[in-house]
């Protein structure tokens, strides 16, 4: 939020639902590595009570990722994720610095480009070298 404040952007309220999704996804990535091969870090394994999917660079399975908050919590809206893969000791600062160097990820954080609608909810998860942040356009119910 300090980074957003430096850009004169409002604080995004924490969402219990999106925190749950972020934590589950970070653990899934770290334990089962569905982000290998053609699949990227927005992918979900088949080792949980959710729809698995291989998220590829063409975004063909985008809805599988966007629907995870509705699938896993009482948040009834789409969620949008940024993810970072690092070493097992990945810190929040390292993840943020990584996202800031990627225009696409940075735009999500600072409501740039196609992400110009206000964020009303955020959830963060980290586990063994994986960091995920989930954003929502609606407050947590």
């Amino acid at each position: 939020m300090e980074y957003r404040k430096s850009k004169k952007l409002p604080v995004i309220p924490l969402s219990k639902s999106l925190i749950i999704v972020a934590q589950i996804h970070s653990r899934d990535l770290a334990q089962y590595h569905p982000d290998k091969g053609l699949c990227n870090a927005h992918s979900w394994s088949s080792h949980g009570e959710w729809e698995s999917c291989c998220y590829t660079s063409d975004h063909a399975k985008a809805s599988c990722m966007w629907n995870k908050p509705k699938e896993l919590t009482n948040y009834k809206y789409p969620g949008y994720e940024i993810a970072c893969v690092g070493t097992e000791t990945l810190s929040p600062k390292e993840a943020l610095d990584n996202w800031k160097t990627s225009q696409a990820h940075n735009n999500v954080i600072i409501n740039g480009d196609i992400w110009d609608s206000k964020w009303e909810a955020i959830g963060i998860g980290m586990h063994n070298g994986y960091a995920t942040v989930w954003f929502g356009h609606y407050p947590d119910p």
Side-chain angles (χ1 to χ4, degrees):
M1 290 308 128
E2 292 303 317
Y3 177 56
R4 284 181 56 84
K5 285 182 191 177
S6 77
K7 301 283 187 187
K8 308 232 182 302
L9 295 167
V11 168
I12 305 168
L14 282 173
S15 157
K16 288 181 182 181
S17 296
L18 295 183
I19 289 169
I20 289 168
V21 176
Q23 290 177 348
I24 290 171
H25 196 212
S26 294
R27 278 189 233 110
D28 182 51
L29 287 164
Q31 290 178 320
Y32 300 110
H33 304 285
D35 59 327
K36 299 302 179 201
L38 297 176
C39 307
N40 66 29
H42 300 304
S43 300
W44 288 72
S45 78
S46 59
H47 297 280
E49 296 191 24
W50 53 73
E51 178 187 346
S52 64
C53 63
C54 175
Y55 195 109
T56 53
S57 59
D58 64 1
H59 308 285
K61 297 280 187 174
S63 64
C64 178
M65 183 259 286
W66 298 340
N67 289 331
K68 287 300 178 261
K70 291 189 275 188
E71 192 176 338
L72 297 171
T73 71
N74 64 353
Y75 191 81
K76 300 300 178 204
Y77 310 100
Y80 307 96
E81 177 188 52
I82 58 174
C84 180
V85 182
T87 66
E88 197 166 302
T89 60
L90 178 70
S91 72
K93 182 185 181 323
E94 289 170 320
L96 178 60
D97 288 346
N98 180 284
W99 289 319
K100 286 164 56 174
T101 65
S102 162
Q103 185 174 1
H105 293 96
N106 192 54
N107 279 336
V108 176
I109 297 168
I110 64 168
N111 298 105
D113 197 30
I114 65 168
W115 303 104
D116 62 349
S117 296
K118 183 179 178 185
W119 296 124
E120 295 286 352
I122 191 169
I124 299 129
M126 294 190 74
H127 192 78
N128 290 347
Y130 287 87
T132 63
V133 179
W134 283 77
F135 298 83
H137 290 300
Y138 300 95
D140 218 345

